[in-house]
């Protein structure tokens, strides 16, 4: 198995206010974990700048221009109550999109079996017409559309295990049966979406978890809702919205997972990718705000990707 890692120094220049949970130190902590010799075989690649036109796969032009105009020449500007932009935010966001699309290209061209993109800002809360929840553009949605447009993928599955529901991804694909969206998340919790009866065109599968639950409930949600949906859908590509804020150390939620749970979830998705999608898996970093919990969990996830 060849696992590629995309990263770029520009991601550290997307600045947020002091004390904000989505901060550059998240990537610094992950970089430190990946210095271990267990990750020597990773194919580490610099993220390319994305094509602005691909943002239009998931967002209308007037929204894209609104985000662009919000980026200040100096200082910071809020685009919603908890989402800020700084002078390098546009370049960082465009490079995150470039890496996600390049990862899709890699797995379809056979340059890698799977890819992890260590980028910021994250994306899964970005709705078609709204930046929110630390997210500007929806990286996973754009990558799914890129797989369809550039590589002829007929069916793309997005599996989101971030502890917060990916309302943006659900919004973008609500009535599109060519994309399966499966989410495990704490409920009730921000952003307030993700109930089981939110099913879109039959392509939305939500598996909400009660506060203070842990491994048993998470794995049951996968075994009873997520994995059967993937088996029925038979995707050509699996994209993971890989948030690690369901870890028990995370300050923004109350789900009690540990690194072994993310290792397990990665393994069962790799099995499905091997069965239906010629091993093609693209994983994009979303949330995770305790530096130790996030970095160790992401490390376990990447190590499992490398094992295949």
């Amino acid at each position: 198995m060849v696992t590629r890692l995309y990263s770029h120094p520009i991601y550290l220049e997307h600045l947020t206010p002091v004390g904000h949970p989505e901060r550059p130190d998240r990537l610094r902590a992950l970089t430190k974990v990946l210095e271990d010799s267990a990750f020597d075989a990773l194919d580490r690649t610099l993220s390319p700048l994305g094509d602005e036109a691909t943002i239009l796969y998931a967002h209308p032009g007037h929204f894209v221009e609104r985000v662009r105009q919000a980026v200040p020449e100096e200082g910071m500007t809020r685009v919603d109550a908890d989402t800020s932009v700084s002078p390098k935010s546009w370049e960082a966001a465009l490079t995150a999109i470039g890496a996600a699309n390049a990862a899709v290209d890699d797995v379809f061209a056979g340059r890698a079996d799977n890819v992890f993109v260590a980028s910021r800002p994250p994306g899964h809360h970005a709705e078609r017409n709204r930046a929110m929840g630390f997210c500007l553009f929806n990286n996973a949605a754009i990558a799914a559309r890129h797989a369809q447009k550039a590589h002829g993928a007929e069916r793309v599955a997005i599996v989101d295990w971030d502890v917060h529901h990916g309302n943006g991804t659900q919004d973008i694909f609500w009535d599109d049966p060519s994309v399966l969206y499966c989410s495990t998340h704490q409920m009730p919790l921000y952003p307030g979406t993700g109930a089981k009866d939110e099913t879109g065109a039959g392509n939305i599968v939500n598996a909400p978890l009660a506060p203070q639950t842990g491994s048993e409930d998470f794995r049951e949600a996968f075994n009873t809702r997520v994995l059967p949906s993937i088996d029925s859908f038979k995707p050509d590509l699996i994209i993971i919205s890989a948030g690690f804020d369901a870890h028990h150390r995370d300050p923004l939620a109350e789900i009690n997972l540990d690194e072994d749970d993310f290792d397990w979830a990665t393994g069962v998705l790799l099995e499905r990718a091997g069965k239906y999608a010629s091993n093609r898996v693209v994983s994009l970093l979303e949330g995770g705000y305790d530096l130790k919990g996030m970095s160790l969990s992401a490390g376990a996830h990447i190590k499992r990707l490398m094992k295949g």
Side-chain angles (χ1 to χ4, degrees):
M1 300 291 288
V2 175
T3 298
R4 178 164 285 183
L5 171 74
Y6 278 108
S7 61
H8 198 288
I10 191 62
Y11 300 138
L12 301 177
E13 297 189 57
H14 167 60
L15 304 180
T16 54
V18 174
H20 196 281
E22 205 296 286
R23 58 207 190 275
D25 282 347
R26 298 176 64 233
L27 291 190
R28 294 188 181 103
L30 176 55
T31 298
K32 186 68 175 177
V33 166
L34 297 181
E35 290 174 357
D36 189 275
S37 60
F39 300 99
D40 285 351
L42 264 181
D43 181 6
R44 300 169 194 253
T45 305
L46 203 63
S47 302
L49 191 67
D51 179 353
E52 291 186 22
T54 64
I55 306 176
L56 301 178
Y57 294 168
H59 304 283
H62 65 84
F63 168 75
V64 176
E65 194 57 32
R66 190 163 74 239
V67 173
R68 189 202 307 270
Q69 293 300 322
V71 175
E73 292 185 6
E74 58 183 28
M76 292 182 201
T77 302
R78 290 188 183 273
V79 296
D80 87 337
D82 54 17
T83 308
S84 300
V85 287
S86 59
K88 293 292 186 179
S89 293
W90 177 265
E91 186 178 351
L94 195 57
T95 305
I97 291 166
N101 289 342
V104 169
D105 294 338
D106 290 340
V107 298
F108 275 95
R111 291 187 290 268
D113 295 286
N114 53 64
V115 182
F116 183 78
V117 178
S119 64
R120 15 185 330 273
H124 75 148
H125 290 308
E127 297 180 344
R128 189 183 304 273
N129 288 293
R130 184 183 181 192
M132 60 181 287
F134 315 159
C135 303
L136 301 179
F137 301 119
N138 198 306
N139 306 320
I142 294 166
R145 284 285 186 244
H146 180 66
Q148 293 177 325
K149 291 177 179 293
H151 300 285
E154 295 181 0
R155 296 173 305 280
V156 179
I158 301 175
V159 179
D160 186 340
W161 65 50
D162 191 284
V163 82
H164 301 94
H165 181 245
N167 59 295
T169 312
Q170 176 171 293
D171 172 66
I172 291 165
F173 295 116
W174 180 256
D175 57 359
D176 183 352
S178 73
V179 177
L180 174 69
Y181 176 67
C182 300
S183 176
T184 60
H185 49 273
Q186 181 179 321
M187 194 172 190
L189 191 66
Y190 179 92
T193 53
K196 282 187 178 181
D197 62 0
E198 297 170 17
T199 58
N203 61 315
I204 306 295
V205 180
N206 287 311
L209 305 172
Q212 303 303 335
T213 56
S215 174
E216 182 177 351
D217 295 273
F218 173 72
R219 297 188 188 204
E220 181 182 13
F222 256 72
N223 285 325
T224 62
R225 293 184 63 77
V226 175
L227 298 179
S229 299
I230 292 173
D231 288 334
S232 296
F233 188 68
K234 298 178 174 58
D236 303 309
L237 167 69
I238 295 176
I239 296 174
I240 303 174
S241 275
F244 299 100
D245 38 8
H247 191 278
H248 66 87
R249 293 178 57 98
D250 201 90
L252 299 190
E254 302 164 288
I255 299 297
N256 297 309
L257 303 188
D258 61 22
E259 298 93 306
D260 288 342
D261 294 306
F262 295 110
D263 172 272
W264 176 84
T266 307
V268 295
L269 292 180
L270 286 172
E271 289 174 5
R272 266 61 185 187
K275 188 173 183 180
Y276 305 119
S278 300
N279 295 315
R280 292 186 287 260
V281 173
V282 169
S283 181
L284 311 176
L285 180 64
E286 299 281 5
Y289 306 106
D290 177 83
L291 298 183
K292 183 175 182 180
M294 182 279 298
S295 58
L296 291 178
S297 296
H301 170 58
I302 294 167
K303 193 175 296 184
R304 187 70 170 120
L305 289 174
M306 295 171 67
K307 290 179 182 176

